[in-house]
């Protein structure tokens, strides 16, 4: 039994037109008309696969294939259709479209599962619009944080208002939450978003786990002054302090060659941002990730110590706001074994690797066992219009997922 690769390709090509920017780019923000258009076309493919479709109050698109025993915990699979503002065609989309294709293939072959299957496109996995991701996947588990609906986007629109405009009822979140134990396991297929598979010349990887992201917003406060008259020794230049901290992030993350630790400062805002005023305030983000929690904790302490020392040196005050702090989450061994077996059936010579980026599977890992399949992406490029995975590799990944689902349904 194999998926229909030509049909899968057609679905990718059709989805790539929604929110298209340039030749190969995508901008499909969460809770917007563009995401709704993506939901409409994906929902039509779900219905064609024999799936009953709904959009819940968190803005998740959910398709359900009813099993023979609807009281059994469900097999859930999927990813997301929202994109980065300057993103590619495959991030998230691969997991949703391949899951739909798997269910379509089961339906075409007359397979009615014992347990129900749900295919889901989670709302706002990316997190850039409201600076907080995994919204839909955390929402269904009752894991939203206080104040999330008051978060605003660049236009000043709150998430609460965006959800209302999307057609969701934010007073009925409880109705869209899943009861503990109602999800048997979760599967997610995703492009790797890194270079390991491409460098190894392997189309498919089995994910071992997802590294734990630590996200900070750091604010440094100094003293503004005229750049032409304030002597260097008495300055309180917030940007100089920020520059040293940025270097410290890189030094800490790279102190042991070969470790998978990564550290990034991704945004930098300067006040008052004039060429002849000493920067008084600098706000920037820190992203520190590792699959080893003890090591990440050590590096976090090192970075806090460096920030304190650098700010004392430059007579600055500082604030650190913790935006996200997640533990590394490991895939279930039994699901990994099934994925390995299915890869070997297809003679894929797969490798096992960790995921540096987080995915909706990270949120689901707190509710059930999970497994992930990675598909090779060219040069490891992602969150970029140059992001590319071949349709041949995506079809291989979908076939691995199909075999994995069939084995899981026998459990």
């Amino acid at each position: 039994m194999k998926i229909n690769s030509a049909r899968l390709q057609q679905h990718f090509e059709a989805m790539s037109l929604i929110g298209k920017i340039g030749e190969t780019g995508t901008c499909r923000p969460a809770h917007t008309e563009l995401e709704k258009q993506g939901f409409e076309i994906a929902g039509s493919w779900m219905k064609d696969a024999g799936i009953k479709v709904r959009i819940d109050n968190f803005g998740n698109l959910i398709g359900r294939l009813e099993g023979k025993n609807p009281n059994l915990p469900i097999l859930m699979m999927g990813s997301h259709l929202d994109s980065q503002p300057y993103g590619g065609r495959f991030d998230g989309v691969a997991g949703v479209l391949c899951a739909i294709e798997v269910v379509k293939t089961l339906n075409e072959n007359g397979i009615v599962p014992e347990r129900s299957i749900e295919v889901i496109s989670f709302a706002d996995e990316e997190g850039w619009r409201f600076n907080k991701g995994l919204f839909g996947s955390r929402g269904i588990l009752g894991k939203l944080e206080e104040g999330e609906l008051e978060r605003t986007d660049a236009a000043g629109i709150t998430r609460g208002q965006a959800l209302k405009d999307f057609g969701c009822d934010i007073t009925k979140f409880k109705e869209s939450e899943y009861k503990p134990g109602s999800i048997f396991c979760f599967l997610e297929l995703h492009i790797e978003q890194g270079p390991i598979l491409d460098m190894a010349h392997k189309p498919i990887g089995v994910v071992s786990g997802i590294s734990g992201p630590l996200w900070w917003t750091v604010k440094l406060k100094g003293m503004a002054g005229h750049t032409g008259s304030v002597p260097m020794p008495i300055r309180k230049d917030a940007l100089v302090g920020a520059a040293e901290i940025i270097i410290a992030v890189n030094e800490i993350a790279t102190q042991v060659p070969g470790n998978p630790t990564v550290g990034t400062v991704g945004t930098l805002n300067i006040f008052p941002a004039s060429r002849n005023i000493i920067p008084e305030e600098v706000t920037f983000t820190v992203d520190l990730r590792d699959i080893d929690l003890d090591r990440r904790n050590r590096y976090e302490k090192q970075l806090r110590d460096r920030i304190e020392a650098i700010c004392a040196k430059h007579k600055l005050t500082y604030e650190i706001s913790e935006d996200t702090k997640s533990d590394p989450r490991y895939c279930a061994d039994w699901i990994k074994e099934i994925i390995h077996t299915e890869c070997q059936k297809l003679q894929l010579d797969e490798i096992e690797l960790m995921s540096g980026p987080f995915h909706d599977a990270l949120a689901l890992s707190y509710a059930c066992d999970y497994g992930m399949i990675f598909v090779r992406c060219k040069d490891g490029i992602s969150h970029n219009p140059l992001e590319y995975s071949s349709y041949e590799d995506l079809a291989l990944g979908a076939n691995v997922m199909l075999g994995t689902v069939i084995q899981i349904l026998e459990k």
Side-chain angles (χ1 to χ4, degrees):
M1 189 189 311
K2 295 286 181 69
I3 62 97
N4 185 325
S5 58
R7 178 173 58 209
L8 182 62
Q9 178 175 339
Q10 290 169 2
H11 288 176
F12 272 102
E13 291 172 349
M15 187 62 69
S16 72
L17 299 176
I18 301 174
K20 182 178 180 181
I21 54 173
E23 290 299 314
T24 59
T26 300
C27 180
R28 203 162 39 239
H31 314 325
T32 64
E33 186 60 34
L34 285 171
E35 187 183 46
K36 185 170 287 187
Q37 290 175 28
F39 279 11
E40 287 172 356
I41 191 171
S44 71
W45 297 329
M46 288 180 177
K47 291 174 184 175
D48 185 57
I51 306 175
K52 186 177 180 180
V53 180
R54 71 184 190 274
I55 296 177
D56 72 5
N57 291 309
F58 299 108
N60 298 313
L61 172 69
I62 304 172
R64 182 181 176 95
L65 179 68
E66 204 68 49
K68 296 176 184 176
N69 188 347
N71 294 320
L72 287 175
I74 64 168
L75 165 58
M76 180 182 283
M77 52 184 172
S79 194
H80 61 96
L81 292 175
D82 67 303
S83 79
Q84 287 287 325
Y86 188 64
R89 297 167 287 169
F90 304 97
D91 176 8
V93 175
V96 177
L97 300 192
C98 288
I100 294 172
E101 179 59 31
V102 164
V103 176
K104 174 68 172 175
T105 303
L106 294 176
N107 194 27
E108 288 177 333
N109 285 271
I111 296 176
V112 180
E114 192 69 25
R115 68 177 73 246
S116 299
I117 299 174
E118 289 195 355
V119 176
I120 185 164
S121 174
F122 289 108
D124 197 8
E125 187 269 357
E126 295 290 1
W128 64 268
R129 184 179 176 192
F130 297 100
N131 199 30
K132 186 74 175 178
L134 305 183
F135 178 79
S137 50
R138 289 184 298 111
I140 65 168
L141 303 177
K143 300 295 185 181
L144 297 184
E145 299 172 4
E146 187 176 348
E148 288 207 39
L149 295 182
E150 286 72 51
R151 286 178 172 269
T152 58
D153 65 8
I157 300 170
T158 66
R159 189 193 290 276
Q161 185 61 52
L163 283 167
K164 290 177 185 176
D165 294 343
F166 200 72
C168 301
D169 188 339
I170 62 175
T171 69
K172 296 181 177 180
F173 279 171
K174 279 291 181 183
E175 294 180 10
S176 296
E177 292 178 8
Y178 283 62
K179 295 178 181 178
S182 63
I183 306 171
F184 178 62
C185 68
F186 178 71
L187 289 179
E188 184 167 5
L189 179 146
H190 208 283
I191 61 169
E192 182 198 347
Q193 298 184 285
I196 305 302
L197 292 175
D198 197 39
M199 291 169 61
H201 306 292
K202 297 182 186 298
I204 303 297
V206 182
V207 179
S208 58
I210 301 173
S211 64
L214 173 65
W215 285 5
W216 288 347
T217 298
V218 181
K219 180 184 291 186
L220 307 185
K221 186 73 176 290
M223 177 74 74
H226 198 297
T227 58
S229 59
V230 180
M232 299 298 286
I234 65 170
R235 291 188 176 194
K236 299 178 182 179
D237 190 328
L239 185 56
V240 172
E244 291 189 17
I245 292 169
I246 293 168
I247 292 171
V249 170
N250 193 69
E251 289 175 345
I252 288 169
T254 59
Q255 62 188 278
V256 180
N259 275 356
T261 316
V262 290
T264 308
V265 171
T267 68
L268 190 73
N269 295 301
I270 304 166
F271 175 83
S274 170
R275 71 169 60 212
N276 64 347
I277 301 177
I278 298 165
E280 179 170 291
E281 188 173 287
V282 176
T283 303
F284 57 94
T285 57
V286 173
D287 182 334
L288 183 67
R289 308 189 193 203
D290 205 311
I291 195 69
D292 185 315
L293 182 59
D294 289 339
R295 183 169 57 222
R296 195 197 70 188
N297 288 342
R298 291 198 307 273
Y299 288 0
E300 176 187 358
K301 185 179 185 307
Q302 290 177 20
L303 184 55
R304 286 183 182 273
D305 290 345
R306 291 284 290 276
I307 290 172
E308 183 176 1
I310 289 166
C311 287
K313 172 184 171 184
H314 295 287
K315 304 179 184 66
L316 308 173
T317 60
Y318 70 92
E319 298 175 11
I320 298 174
S321 301
E322 194 174 275
D323 302 314
T324 293
K325 189 171 187 178
S326 298
D327 293 351
R329 303 295 294 176
Y330 294 93
C331 294
D333 287 338
W334 68 272
I335 299 179
K336 285 196 303 179
E337 290 173 8
I338 291 174
I339 298 172
H340 276 296
T341 298
E342 293 303 317
C343 287
Q344 289 155 17
K345 287 179 182 177
L346 296 171
Q347 300 180 320
L348 290 177
D349 189 26
E350 79 291 350
I351 59 173
E352 196 166 304
L353 70 166
M354 61 160 279
S355 174
F358 61 78
H359 306 281
D360 289 302
L362 177 64
L364 269 294
S365 72
Y366 290 92
C368 63
D369 286 349
Y370 84 100
M372 287 193 71
I373 299 163
F374 268 173
V375 177
R376 168 174 56 189
C377 61
K378 182 174 173 55
D379 298 324
I381 297 172
S382 185
H383 286 188
N384 185 312
L386 296 177
E387 172 184 283
Y388 178 75
S389 289
S390 73
Y391 293 120
E392 291 79 12
D393 285 357
L394 289 162
L396 285 172
N399 277 317
V400 170
M401 194 173 194
L402 173 63
T404 301
V405 166
I406 290 171
Q407 284 205 51
I408 289 175
L409 290 174
E410 295 172 353
K411 298 290 183 180

